[in-house]
Amino acid sequence: MTPNNWWGRPRSSVVKYLVFALLLVAVAGAQPVSGQTHSSSIGLNAGAVLYSSFNDGIDAAVDLRPDANLTGSLQYDWIVGDGNLAFRLGAHYQRMELDWANGRREIYAYAGDFDLILRPVRPRASTRVIPFLTLGAGATQYRFGEGGTTSFPDAGVSYSGNQRFQFSVVGGLGFDIVTGWRWDENNFLIRLEAQDSYVVDSPFEPLSPDGSLGGVHNLRVTLGLHNTMGILR
């Protein structure tokens, strides 16, 4: 890995994205706010997704690692107790480009997960920045298409033609910034988050009967805007 690469890929676009996110945070910080008072929120996130190799564990001439690309998600949170604990439902869309035996392919992935959100600092009415950790589980489907089995000998794998949902484990960290932007009586949040969705099985199969493929990391770095609802006890 060189200083100008992140996870083996150019990171200039990710850096630009993070700079833009920090500018939004600065704008939000200039607004008058009432702080953390909500009991739930719903919002949209968008950003970049970075992948690990789809043929990890095989010594092959071709590394099936998609380029960093776009991701978007819809999230709904609900907070319990005094605010240290929350639950979240998330639906995710991802785009990727991957080299295959018959040329470069554009591929989409769909994922859903249920997360536990831990907020180390108990939010109060004056709290404006809320750090959090997430841990959850879900399922991911990589849309390679239906059909017969196809092989990619240089990558040491084959694809069965069966688009199936695969179990994933999710973990991440981030923080919410309570803004002064309002819709009716509710504040909007800016959410910055890095979350790794680890799909425990590759969508491919090893060509060699002695081969074994590892799982796939989907590292999502996103910026979101969420509308708050309700009143925290």
Side-chain angles (χ1 to χ4, degrees), residues 76-90:
Y76 175 72
D77 304 352
W78 65 98
I79 303 166
V80 297
D82 294 328
N84 285 110
L85 182 65
F87 298 97
R88 180 168 75 187
L89 286 172

Side-chain angles (χ1 to χ4, degrees), residues 26 32 42 75 90 107 113 116 127-128 177 188 195 198 226-227:
I42 187 168
Q75 295 177 336
I107 300 162
D113 52 65
L116 175 67
T127 303
R128 296 186 49 192
I177 302 97
F188 280 98
Q195 187 181 52
Y198 178 68
H226 291 240
N227 183 44

Side-chain angles (χ1 to χ4, degrees), residues 12 16 18 55 82 85 107 110 145 166 177 187 205 208 212:
S12 59
K16 292 177 183 177
L18 292 176
N55 61 344
D82 294 328
L85 182 65
I107 300 162
Y110 300 93
Q166 296 163 289
I177 302 97
N187 279 314
E205 301 291 337
S208 170
S212 179

Side-chain angles (χ1 to χ4, degrees), residues 17 209 218 233:
Y17 164 78
N218 302 255
R233 186 180 65 183

Side-chain angles (χ1 to χ4, degrees), residues 42-58:
I42 187 168
L44 295 170
N45 308 310
V49 56
L50 296 93
Y51 300 94
S52 64
S53 177
F54 279 69
N55 61 344
D56 181 48
I58 292 180

Side-chain angles (χ1 to χ4, degrees), residues 91-220:
H92 311 273
Y93 160 87
Q94 296 175 187
R95 179 184 179 277
M96 70 186 80
E97 293 184 3
L98 181 71
D99 290 324
W100 190 246
N102 55 357
R104 196 158 183 81
R105 299 187 60 185
E106 185 178 56
I107 300 162
Y108 301 94
Y110 300 93
D113 52 65
F114 178 75
D115 304 333
L116 175 67
I117 302 177
L118 302 175
R119 304 161 95 182
V121 179
R122 178 173 296 175
R124 304 190 183 279
S126 60
T127 303
R128 296 186 49 192
V129 179
I130 309 162
F132 61 86
L133 304 172
T134 63
L135 182 64
T140 299
Q141 184 186 63
Y142 297 107
R143 304 282 293 180
F144 291 103
E146 298 282 2
T149 300
T150 61
S151 298
F152 191 179
D154 287 345
V157 299
S158 64
Y159 174 61
S160 67
N162 179 23
Q163 294 183 152
R164 63 188 188 277
F165 279 95
Q166 296 163 289
F167 179 73
S168 59
V169 179
V170 179
L173 55 88
F175 57 92
D176 291 331
I177 302 97
V178 184
T179 75
W181 309 328
R182 289 181 175 275
W183 185 16
D184 291 332
E185 297 299 319
N186 301 315
N187 279 314
F188 280 98
L189 304 175
I190 289 177
R191 172 167 293 174
L192 290 170
E193 184 173 11
Q195 187 181 52
D196 184 19
S197 176
Y198 178 68
V199 182
V200 297
D201 293 314
S202 171
F204 302 122
E205 301 291 337
L207 283 178
S208 170
D210 299 326
S212 179
L213 294 173
V216 179
H217 289 276
N218 302 255
L219 177 61
R220 299 186 284 253

